[in-house]
């Protein structure tokens, strides 16, 4: 009897040990650097150049690895196929597409917007306005292109206003993209005489100061700081004040003059129309006034900063790569010529320009870690166990600079995207599949078509009229992304250049 009981106990113990080993293997966490007790790997990461640090760790730990930052698991994903599995493929796509709350939650009236809100039907509806309303209402509207053309002309006049002088294009580009986003939202730009002309950038500058990791971290750990005098409270209050000015100019004034029979003036009217239609049909709507304001803030924050980053880097690269500029101008001259303004449809005949845009976004990787995603439940990815509550970094910078994919990732070489006949590579080519500046899946950039068309119009109309040259008597900073600092937003060095008019332009 005793032997039988002993046998059963041994068998049960063996089963238990086997189950433990099996569960542990099933819950195998991704590899990663060893950290220290509570702070994990926090002191091993250089916050100022985190994109570069994470790239070095990829070389050591592979395309999926884990860091611990003050108790939070950070999962770094550095391959396009892993990103597709995590963000685009069921069932993970329902679980890994949320966002972590941060100190901007109150600024957006309790996360009533897209960028930092969880995946919900309202988030999907707001995203829909970008991806379908922009082409439906605006890009097909003649008046929208006319307004944008006026802005392009003003930009060019400003850029050539000081011939033979070094200029920093940054300020002029800020005005240009502010007006472009304003036209998109409310159908008019903010002229110099408008007392509210600076409110969009005022708001965005404060917002980015607030989400700097040191400020955001302090305000999250000690929320009461926002109500006290001192630096943190000041940043917070200034952001709220600027937010209210934007809401007044872009929402309240628009709503006052909106009627159901009006010709839609911009995206804000599209939202107001939907709100009114919903209320008339069903007596309720997903789109509260606060959601529409959140939509405006997102469009300004993402639109103005991302478009500015692209064109600012483009001009710097053109200063460095005069041969690329000459090639681009030859394509512009032959397809568009000098007598008409570029049209979005010209793009399909201009593979070299397309290749330059792809290389600009690959090389610069202006949103190196996309917007971090929150994984709301446990998932298994590539055989590794990711626990619920982990933050996923879609590491676009690593993918865009993986030497195994690109061979020479640190060279700026648009030709890599062209075949031997000079045509753009097909969509299934490894290079095209691995250039994903707008990320992938349910939270991929909803403004990407607008961004592509605006960057195309801006750079072609610019080079149609002007030649960009390095500055005289001062150094041109390097454009090498390994030298950029601060991840969010990634800032390449400010620079000066010379911009001179080309001959024979008659538009
Ligand atoms: C070259 C320019 C741009 C680049 C490289 C870019 C890139 C990105 C990336 C990587 C994300 C994060 C995706 C993710 O979390 O996985 C994003 C999100 C977003 N972008 Fe863009 N973007 C650009 C321009 C724009 C423009 C012009 C707009 C609006 C007019 C816009 C609106 C947004 C919004 C609203 C989100 C948040 C979406 C969400 O959380 O669901 N972006 N963008």
């Amino acid at each position: 009897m005793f032997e039988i009981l002993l046998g059963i106990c041994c068998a049960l113990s063996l089963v238990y040990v086997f189950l433990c080993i099996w569960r542990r293997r099933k819950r195998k966490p991704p590899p990663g650097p060893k950290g220290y007790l509570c702070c994990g790997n926090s002191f091993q990461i250089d916050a100022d150049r985190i994109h570069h640090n994470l790239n070095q760790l990829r070389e050591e730990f592979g395309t999926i690895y884990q860091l611990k930052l003050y108790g939070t698991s950070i999962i770094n994903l550095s391959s396009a196929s892993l990103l597709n599995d995590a963000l685009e493929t069921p069932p993970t796509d329902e679980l890994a597409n949320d966002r972590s709350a941060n100190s901007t939650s109150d600024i957006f009236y309790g996360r009533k917007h897209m960028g930092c809100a969880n995946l919900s039907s309202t988030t999907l509806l707001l995203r829909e306005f970008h991806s379908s309303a922009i082409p439906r209402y605006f890009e097909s509207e003649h008046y929208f292109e006319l307004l944008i053309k006026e802005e392009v002309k003003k930009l060019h006049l400003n850029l050539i206003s000081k011939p033979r002088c070094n200029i920093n294009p940054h300020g002029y580009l800020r005005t240009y993209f502010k007006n472009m986003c304003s036209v998109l939202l409310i159908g008019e730009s903010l002229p110099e005489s408008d007392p509210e002309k600076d409110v969009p950038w005022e708001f965005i500058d404060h917002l980015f100061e607030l989400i700097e990791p040191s400020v955001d971290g302090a305000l999250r750990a000690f929320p009461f700081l926002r109500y006290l005098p001192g630096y943190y409270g000041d940043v917070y209050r200034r952001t709220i004040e600027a937010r209210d000015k934007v809401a007044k100019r872009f929402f309240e004034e628009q709503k006052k003059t909106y009627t159901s029979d009006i010709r839609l003036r911009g995206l804000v009217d599209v939202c107001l129309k939907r709100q009114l239609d919903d209320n008339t049909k069903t007596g309720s709507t997903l789109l509260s006034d606060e959601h529409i304001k959140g939509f405006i803030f997102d469009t300004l924050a993402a639109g103005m900063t991302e478009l500015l980053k692209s064109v600012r880097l483009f001009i710097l690269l053109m200063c460095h790569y005069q041969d690329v500029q000459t090639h681009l101008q030859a394509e512009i001259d032959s397809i568009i010529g000098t007598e008409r303004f570029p049209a979005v449809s010209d793009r399909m005949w201009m593979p070299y320009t397309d290749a330059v845009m792809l290389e600009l976004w690959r090389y610069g990787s202006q949103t190196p870690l996309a917007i971090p995603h929150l994984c709301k439940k446990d998932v298994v990815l590539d055989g590794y166990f990711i626990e619920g509550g982990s933050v996923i970094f879609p590491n676009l910078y690593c993918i865009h600079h993986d030497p195994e994919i690109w061979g020479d990732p640190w060279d700026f070489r648009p030709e890599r995207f062209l075949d031997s006949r000079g045509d753009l590579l097909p969509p299934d080519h490894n290079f095209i599949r691995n250039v994903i500046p707008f990320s992938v899946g349910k939270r991929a950039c909803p403004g990407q078509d607008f961004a592509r068309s605006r960057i195309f119009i801006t750079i072609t109309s610019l080079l149609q009229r002007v030649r960009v040259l390095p500055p005289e008597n001062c150094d041109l900073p390097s454009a090498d992304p390994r030298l950029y600092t601060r991840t969010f937003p990634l800032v390449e060095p400010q620079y000066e250049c010379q911009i001179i008019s080309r001959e024979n332009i008659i538009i």
Side-chain angles (χ1 to χ4, degrees), residues 87 97 99 114-117 123 127 130 134 181 184 298-300 302-304 306-307 310 361 366-367 369-373 394 396 436-440 442-448 450-452 455:
L87 310 180
N97 274 315
R99 304 277 194 217
M114 286 171 279
C116 296
T123 317
R127 289 175 54 87
H130 274 286
I134 295 180
C181 290
L184 177 68
D298 276 346
T299 305
L300 291 174
M304 295 197 311
E306 293 309 323
L307 296 174
S310 284
W361 289 326
Q366 59 189 61
T367 42
L369 304 177
I371 302 177
H373 288 229
L396 310 181
I436 44 172
F438 302 100
S439 192
V440 296
K442 287 200 158 80
R443 303 306 290 264
C445 176
Q448 56 182 290
F450 183 70
R452 283 198 181 90
I455 297 297

Side-chain angles (χ1 to χ4, degrees), residues 145 147 154 180 192 202 207 332 346 370 405 491-493:
E145 286 304 348
L147 285 171
K154 277 190 239 162
M180 181 184 285
E192 280 306 292
E202 204 182 299
L207 191 67
I332 292 168
D346 291 323
I405 301 171
V491 178
E492 87 275 3

Side-chain angles (χ1 to χ4, degrees), residues 61-123:
F61 295 103
T63 50
I64 173 166
Y65 66 83
Q66 173 170 271
L67 295 169
K68 288 267 181 195
L69 298 186
Y70 298 108
T72 304
S73 289
I74 306 287
I75 310 295
N76 192 85
L77 298 184
S78 328
S79 94
S81 63
L82 271 176
L83 281 188
N84 283 326
D85 289 350
L87 310 180
E88 207 161 43
T89 315
T92 356
D93 64 337
E94 289 296 333
L95 306 175
N97 274 315
D98 272 358
R99 304 277 194 217
S100 308
N102 60 28
S103 57
T104 65
S105 301
D106 297 356
I107 306 285
F108 295 106
Y109 316 107
R111 301 168 83 188
K112 293 201 179 97
H113 68 135
M114 286 171 279
C116 296
N118 286 337
L119 191 66
S120 67
S121 29
T122 321
T123 317

Side-chain angles (χ1 to χ4, degrees), residues 189-205:
S189 60
L190 304 181
E192 280 306 292
S193 53
D194 190 327
E196 306 298 325
K197 71 177 188 330
D198 293 324
V199 299
W201 276 115
E202 204 182 299
F203 172 53
I204 302 308
D205 290 343

